[in-house]
Amino acid sequence: MEALGGLDRISILPQNITEKILSLLPIPDALKTSILSRKWRYCWASIPVLTFNDQMFEGSSSSGIQNMSQKLDTVYQVLLQHKSPLVGFTLSIEPEMVSKVDQIVSYVVSRCNRLEELELANCDFEPPPKFTGFHSLNWLSFSNVEISAKMLKRFLTHCPLLDEFYLVGKQKDTTRVENMLTFVEFFECLPSIQILAISTYYMKYFAPGRPNKLPVSLVHLKILFMGVCFMDHDEVSSALCLIKSSPNLEKLMLKLVPQPTSMHFIDLQDHTGFKLDYLQELEMESLSNLSIEMEFVKLIMANSSVLKNVLIELDDSVSVDEELEMYRDLIRRPIPRASPSAEVIITRPKTSS
């Protein structure tokens, strides 16, 4: 390695450049940089973002519980040796040893009060009793995370700057009465939310009896993604409550989820009289050609004065003949539009060759 003034070139890089380089590497590769030079020996211990996922452990020869234990021990050892404040943390390694995962999460929660981004996947999560909050956290993702409604409320209450939240995937016990939040309770915890995603499994967090509209508007919410079953009265009611409480919404995306055992339709005529003056895009995925789904499209289009694009992707179950009939209906009975420039595009699901 060519020297410059007695030092190799990589040793004279500014610390912020060194940290940036290490942050772009998988953690095992970042650890290996310790052998580059004396100055780099502990540089990895100050990188501001740590990401632990399955890709980190690719090539491991062991398997099963033993391998999982080794993975989690590795995560814990890296955290113990890391010295600087973390601003970003990701944990997604398909855990089977819940107690060890709890220790890891509790450790991060207890010492990372400057955390700005947190991503947890495939784990149980319960904030430790002395949790005082992430007062700098603005980005949060829970994917397939088991967390009680009570603990979710407690956690969100202590993250006052959160503006982007992904509550996706599934968990087992969202429908127990003791594991539900009211809509009002949930959104009282998200006063600054700008981007929100909720899968259909977590939509069941919300107890029946939600208001027609929230008492306080979500004035900052610009992008909303929801998983919704249109055959479930409560889910559609929740979705409409949220939409009508978001006057500045710019993009709305819905993943439609079929539940053939339920046919409790909602009357959309009871949900008129609202305005979405900033909505520009509506996307609906897996539309199965239920009449209520198209009624919902009409409802949104009739109340969105600057809407530009309505993108509808059909479910696999919709036949070509049914698709053609949908187009015929659109020609015979055009959808009323508050925005004359709104364009409806219907596509079939993308298939791999």
Side-chain angles (χ1 to χ4, degrees):
M1 187 176 296
E2 185 177 348
L4 181 64
L7 291 174
D8 59 81
R9 288 181 174 178
I10 63 172
S11 293
I12 62 174
L13 290 173
Q15 182 177 347
N16 63 319
I17 300 298
T18 302
E19 291 179 354
K20 180 64 175 177
I21 292 171
L22 292 172
S23 295
L24 297 174
L25 295 175
I27 289 176
D29 293 338
L31 296 176
K32 292 175 184 176
T33 61
S34 295
I35 66 173
L36 291 177
S37 71
R38 182 176 299 173
K39 184 178 178 182
W40 277 65
R41 184 168 299 169
Y42 301 108
C43 284
W44 72 268
S46 64
I47 56 178
V49 177
L50 292 177
T51 299
F52 300 97
N53 52 33
D54 285 329
Q55 287 71 34
M56 172 183 168
F57 300 102
E58 284 181 353
S60 175
S61 59
S62 56
S63 61
I65 296 296
Q66 182 181 3
N67 188 34
M68 180 57 62
S69 179
Q70 292 171 349
K71 290 179 180 181
L72 296 177
D73 282 340
T74 300
V75 173
Y76 202 61
Q77 289 302 315
V78 170
L79 286 172
L80 288 175
Q81 295 178 62
H82 191 270
K83 303 303 181 184
S84 297
L86 284 174
V87 296
F89 180 77
T90 296
L91 176 64
S92 175
I93 53 174
E94 298 288 346
E96 298 172 18
M97 298 177 65
V98 173
S99 60
K100 186 65 69 68
V101 172
D102 286 347
Q103 293 174 29
I104 291 170
V105 173
S106 294
Y107 181 79
V108 172
V109 168
S110 65
R111 69 177 288 261
C112 301
N113 55 9
R114 290 174 52 188
L115 205 66
E116 297 174 6
E117 298 183 3
L118 174 63
E119 180 178 3
L120 298 179
N122 313 308
C123 65
D124 290 5
F125 178 54
E126 181 173 328
K130 295 183 179 180
F131 175 66
T132 59
F134 290 136
H135 297 288
S136 299
L137 194 72
N138 54 56
W139 189 94
L140 175 64
S141 175
F142 285 167
S143 178
N144 299 321
V145 171
E146 292 283 336
I147 180 171
S148 70
K150 178 181 177 181
M151 288 300 172
L152 178 63
K153 179 183 177 182
R154 176 169 168 252
F155 181 81
L156 294 178
T157 300
H158 289 88
C159 302
L161 298 184
L162 191 63
D163 58 31
E164 192 165 346
F165 183 25
Y166 299 86
L167 186 60
V168 297
K170 64 177 71 174
Q171 68 161 314
K172 293 174 286 195
D173 299 319
T174 51
T175 56
R176 297 199 317 257
V177 173
E178 66 273 19
N179 196 28
M180 288 185 175
L181 288 173
T182 68
F183 236 43
V184 175
E185 287 176 321
F186 181 69
F187 287 103
E188 281 178 345
C189 303
L190 299 171
S192 303
I193 196 69
Q194 297 182 32
I195 300 174
L196 177 65
I198 310 178
S199 68
T200 185
Y201 292 93
Y202 290 99
M203 287 289 282
K204 299 182 188 302
Y205 256 136
F206 305 116
R210 80 271 309 132
N212 187 269
K213 188 177 180 181
L214 293 174
V216 178
S217 294
L218 303 172
V219 294
H220 301 290
L221 188 59
K222 302 293 180 63
I223 299 175
L224 174 62
F225 171 88
M226 291 182 290
V228 181
C229 174
F230 270 83
M231 291 179 280
D232 187 305
H233 179 285
D234 290 333
E235 283 193 39
V236 180
S237 180
S238 294
L240 287 168
C241 173
L242 184 47
I243 292 168
K244 291 190 291 184
S245 302
S246 308
N248 298 318
L249 203 60
E250 296 176 2
K251 185 170 184 177
L252 174 61
M253 296 171 284
L254 300 181
K255 165 74 172 179
L256 308 188
V257 182
Q259 292 180 359
T261 57
S262 173
M263 296 293 286
H264 189 191
F265 292 137
I266 190 172
D267 187 354
L268 296 183
Q269 295 301 315
D270 296 334
H271 292 270
T272 57
F274 65 96
K275 295 295 181 184
L276 296 171
D277 292 331
Y278 297 92
L279 188 68
Q280 298 183 40
E281 295 182 57
L282 169 64
E283 295 183 11
M284 297 180 68
E285 181 183 344
S286 300
L287 188 135
S288 58
N289 202 24
L290 293 173
S291 59
I292 190 174
E293 295 171 342
M294 290 308 295
E295 289 300 316
F296 177 85
V297 174
K298 294 176 184 178
L299 179 66
I300 298 299
M301 293 186 69
N303 291 279
S304 305
S305 57
V306 297
L307 190 65
K308 295 179 180 178
N309 298 309
V310 178
L311 306 177
I312 298 175
E313 183 179 293
L314 301 176
D315 187 74
D316 285 328
S317 62
V318 178
S319 68
V320 174
D321 289 340
E322 289 176 309
E323 180 184 359
L324 291 174
E325 187 59 33
M326 290 175 66
Y327 278 110
R328 294 191 190 101
D329 284 344
L330 288 174
I331 295 173
R332 290 195 299 259
R333 294 185 290 274
I335 296 177
R337 310 172 188 208
S339 170
S341 62
E343 182 181 8
V344 180
I345 299 174
I346 300 176
T347 64
R348 298 197 66 79
K350 298 179 178 64
T351 57
S352 58
S353 57

